[in-house]
Amino acid sequence: MNLYDYIEEIPDFPVKGILFKDISLLLTKNEAVNKVKTDFLKLIKPYQVDLIGGLDARGFLFSTLIADALGVGSFMIRKEGKLPGGVISKEYELEYGVSKLSVKKNLDLKNKNIILIDDLLATGGTLRCAEDLISFSKGTVVSSLVVIELVALSGKDKLNSTVHSLLKYDT
């Protein structure tokens, strides 16, 4: 199965000049979702994992699947204003603007080995912000998993963790 067949490219979304890689079709095919899950599990086999962190919002779609398969918990790393109660937040830069991510203050991340999951790695801002939030909470990001990596944007270079990507695009 070729996962590239399930990615749609949408020009000028969310802003002019961005060629958005859409995983919507992939999500409609159980065999494609299962391949992502199976491939992710193979990639993280060498790591000791305590928790899986899913990044808002498409990272959630895979983080709970992986956490369930590993028999560990999952937690959300959300955009500003999306988590109730006390949160720890950090601002970061996107390809096309500025945003902020948050985690719940009451999460016990201290001394935990954490895998981060998102659908796409572009400039690295989102994953780097998530790494910083985990580090601030005294956890350790042992690896990050993404379905799609935009290689030309060199997002991996900004990250402290090892990144594994299933699909790589040069543009």
Side-chain angles (χ1 to χ4, degrees), residues 1-166:
M1 164 175 285
N2 186 350
L3 290 176
Y4 286 98
D5 294 340
Y6 299 96
I7 306 301
E8 182 181 7
E9 294 183 330
I10 301 173
D12 298 324
F13 183 84
V15 296
K16 189 169 180 59
I18 300 294
L19 182 59
F20 188 80
K21 308 289 192 224
D22 188 14
I23 64 168
S24 295
L25 181 59
L26 183 148
L27 294 172
T28 68
K29 305 296 181 186
N30 178 264
E31 61 274 11
V33 172
N34 192 52
K35 179 162 178 46
V36 169
K37 179 177 131 181
T38 301
D39 289 353
F40 275 173
L41 288 169
K42 287 177 190 172
L43 289 168
I44 62 174
K45 195 170 189 140
Y47 300 99
Q48 181 178 343
V49 181
D50 299 308
L51 289 168
I52 306 292
L55 278 76
D56 199 340
R58 289 172 299 275
F60 302 161
L61 301 170
F62 302 106
S63 63
T64 54
L65 291 173
I66 301 304
D68 180 61
L70 294 174
V72 300
S74 178
F75 66 97
M76 297 178 290
I77 302 168
R78 303 273 341 240
K79 292 177 184 159
E80 183 176 31
K82 299 293 184 178
L83 287 173
V87 298
I88 301 165
S89 298
K90 182 166 178 26
E91 191 173 275
Y92 67 101
E93 290 187 28
L94 296 158
E95 268 180 280
Y96 46 84
V98 176
S99 192
K100 193 180 271 192
L101 289 178
S102 304
V103 294
K104 297 282 288 182
K105 272 187 185 176
N106 63 353
L107 290 178
D108 178 18
L109 303 181
K110 187 175 182 179
N111 300 321
K112 299 284 195 299
N113 289 330
I114 296 164
I115 298 270
L116 297 176
I117 298 181
D118 204 357
D119 67 322
L120 183 124
L121 171 62
T123 62
T126 307
L127 275 171
R128 179 55 197 255
C129 183
E131 284 182 340
D132 290 346
L133 284 168
I134 301 309
S135 179
F136 181 81
S137 300
K138 308 291 189 232
T140 301
V141 177
V142 295
S143 185
S144 296
L145 305 174
V146 295
V147 177
I148 298 167
E149 178 184 355
L150 304 180
V151 178
L153 297 177
S154 303
K156 275 186 180 181
D157 297 344
K158 292 183 183 169
L159 304 176
N160 295 319
S161 64
T162 300
V163 178
H164 299 284
S165 51
L166 301 182

